[in-house]
Amino acid sequence: MGPMLEKSLRPEVALSFGENGLLMKKNTVVFEKPPLGLREQNKLEKLQRIKSAAKELFTELGYDAATTRDIARRARVGLGTLFNYADDKRDLIFLIYVDHLNEIQQRGIEAVNPRKSLLGQLVAFFSLLYEDFAGNPTLSRILLRELTFYQHGKLSVEFTENRLRVVDTVRQLVADAQKRGQVRSRENPSVIALGLFFVYAGAVRLWISEDNPDLDAGLAALRKQFRIYINGLDPVR
């Protein structure tokens, strides 16, 4: 393999089931795109400036006070150019996060230990998101607030796909726990995974809404909620 081809390859970790039916990590090779031309580089630089400007102003002024005109001015682009990348302020929030969340999700998969319990795996996977949100609570609150009903926009498809990938990762963890006998429920793992995702979605919003969200306290609360869900309420019969 020549040096140029080697540079165009990078490993990516994914979850899959081995021959024994248990969850395992595997590296897949992803071909990276060839070097960008001058025009593409210029577009990418504009995109990065817009994302940086939006992130700065949303953090400094808040979502309601920041305007698209302010963001375009700080990014040193015309307002029309900005609207080529985002339809409105709401789209700009997702423009900041879309690729970043995909990277965090990948790191979360890498953090999962196939030998740990389902509870430990879930906390390990979602802890990467908590850590990132704790780094900028102001911007994270805006994202999680606007994400709830984000169905129309330039990046709505990408965000829907991201959410589905998260749920599917949880589904794989649940299916593996069932195979290992850790979970006795024979309920469809997709149904269980959706419930666990709802637990996370509610817990992370409650935590990030605090004035000074504490990462350790947030993860402890998430672990407790997951444990209750996994163990069930054990009703009296």
Side-chain angles (χ1 to χ4, degrees):
M1 181 182 296
M4 290 300 293
L5 182 56
E6 290 177 355
K7 291 182 180 179
S8 69
L9 303 178
R10 60 181 173 85
E12 187 173 279
V13 177
L15 295 177
S16 64
F17 291 101
E19 294 179 357
N20 58 2
L22 299 182
L23 196 67
M24 60 181 292
K25 296 180 184 178
K26 69 174 183 178
N27 288 327
T28 58
V29 175
V30 178
F31 286 86
E32 294 183 343
K33 296 179 180 179
L36 297 175
L38 186 60
R39 182 179 179 184
E40 287 74 18
Q41 287 181 20
N42 184 47
K43 290 174 63 177
L44 183 59
E45 288 172 2
K46 287 181 180 178
L47 172 61
Q48 293 303 325
R49 293 205 306 271
I50 291 171
K51 290 167 68 173
S52 296
K55 184 175 182 179
E56 292 168 5
L57 287 172
F58 284 142
T59 303
E60 294 170 13
L61 305 178
Y63 180 77
D64 294 328
T67 67
T68 52
R69 192 173 298 279
D70 292 334
I71 293 168
R73 186 180 299 114
R74 181 168 294 194
R76 306 190 309 279
V77 300
L79 193 58
T81 298
L82 183 145
F83 287 133
N84 287 332
Y85 296 91
D87 289 336
D88 49 28
K89 283 200 301 183
R90 195 181 195 196
D91 258 0
L92 285 170
I93 286 292
F94 302 118
L95 187 68
I96 295 169
Y97 271 100
V98 62
D99 292 331
H100 184 58
L101 288 180
N102 289 335
E103 293 172 2
I104 294 174
Q105 180 188 355
Q106 180 62 29
R107 286 165 45 206
I109 292 175
E110 294 171 3
V112 170
N113 185 338
R115 298 182 181 276
K116 294 288 186 178
S117 67
L118 175 61
L119 177 61
Q121 290 175 342
L122 290 169
V123 174
F125 177 69
F126 285 108
S127 66
L128 276 295
L129 285 166
Y130 268 68
E131 289 174 9
D132 189 78
F133 292 153
N136 191 331
T138 300
L139 200 61
S140 300
R141 291 185 192 107
I142 297 171
L143 171 71
L144 292 171
R145 182 187 71 185
E146 297 301 319
L147 185 60
T148 303
F149 297 107
Y150 185 51
Q151 295 178 327
H152 305 286
K154 289 185 182 297
L155 300 171
S156 60
V157 173
E158 288 92 331
F159 264 90
T160 298
E161 290 175 349
N162 176 275
R163 184 187 296 115
L164 292 175
R165 284 195 298 271
V166 170
V167 175
D168 189 61
T169 298
V170 175
R171 179 195 62 77
Q172 292 182 65
L173 296 177
V174 171
D176 177 61
Q178 289 176 323
K179 289 179 181 295
R180 289 190 289 168
Q182 286 189 352
V183 175
R184 287 181 293 180
S185 172
R186 294 297 95 190
E187 182 63 73
N188 188 315
S190 296
V191 175
I192 298 175
L194 195 59
L196 288 166
F197 178 79
F198 291 156
V199 170
Y200 153 75
V204 71
R205 283 166 172 78
L206 182 63
W207 164 71
I208 203 66
S209 67
E210 298 174 1
D211 290 337
N212 296 293
D214 180 83
L215 178 60
D216 291 336
L219 288 175
L222 179 67
R223 177 182 289 273
K224 182 176 181 179
Q225 294 300 321
F226 277 152
R227 182 184 294 113
I228 292 172
Y229 186 90
I230 292 171
N231 293 341
L233 298 180
D234 194 19
V236 176
R237 292 178 174 80

